[in-house]
C-alpha cells in the first residue's frame, strides 16, 4: 500500500492560488485533466481559490463544477510562444 501525500496547509494552498492568479487572468487558456483522464482545452472563468480549506480550485468554461488547480496547465499565448514577454 502506498502512503498518501502529505496534506497541504491552507497557507500553501492560498500561495498556489496567489501564484496562479498573479500569472494568469480570468479567461486564460488552459488544459485540464478530467476525471476520466481525458485532456480538455478551455479557459478559466474565475480566479483560483481555496475551497473549504482543503483544495486549491478553479472554475472552467464548459465544465460543470470546479477542478483541482493541480490538474490545470496554463497554455502559452501567441506572444509567449513567440518568445515575447507575457
Amino acid at each position: 500500500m502506498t502512503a498518501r501525500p502529505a496534506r497541504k496547509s491552507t497557507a500553501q494552498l492560498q500561495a498556489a492560488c496567489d501564484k496562479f492568479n498573479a500569472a494568469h487572468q480570468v479567461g486564460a487558456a488552459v488544459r485540464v485533466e478530467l476525471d476520466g483522464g481525458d485532456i480538455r482545452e478551455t479557459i478559466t472563468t474565475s480566479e483560483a481559490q481555496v475551497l473549504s480549506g482543503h483544495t486549491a480550485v478553479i472554475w472552467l468554461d464548459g465544465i460543470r463544477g470546479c477542478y483541482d488547480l493541480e490538474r490545470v496547465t496554463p497554455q502559452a499565448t501567441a506572444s509567449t510562444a513567440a518568445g515575447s514577454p507575457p
Side-chain angles (χ1 to χ4, degrees):
M1 182 186 295
T2 59
R4 289 177 151 224
R7 187 172 177 173
K8 293 183 180 178
S9 71
T10 303
Q12 289 171 313
L13 295 169
Q14 186 60 56
C17 291
D18 293 344
K19 182 178 178 181
F20 186 92
N21 293 336
H24 310 286
Q25 296 181 350
V26 174
V30 296
R31 285 186 180 169
V32 60
E33 180 183 346
L34 301 174
D35 293 339
D38 292 338
I39 304 295
R40 181 179 297 174
E41 294 185 5
T42 185
I43 61 170
T44 62
T45 60
S46 73
E47 290 188 330
Q49 54 196 263
V50 178
L51 178 67
S52 300
H54 60 75
T55 308
V57 300
I58 197 160
W59 277 259
L60 304 164
D61 186 52
I63 297 176
R64 186 172 295 171
C66 56
Y67 261 82
D68 188 328
L69 195 57
E70 291 183 357
R71 294 173 68 178
V72 174
T73 305
Q75 297 303 291
T77 62
S79 63
T80 56
S84 301

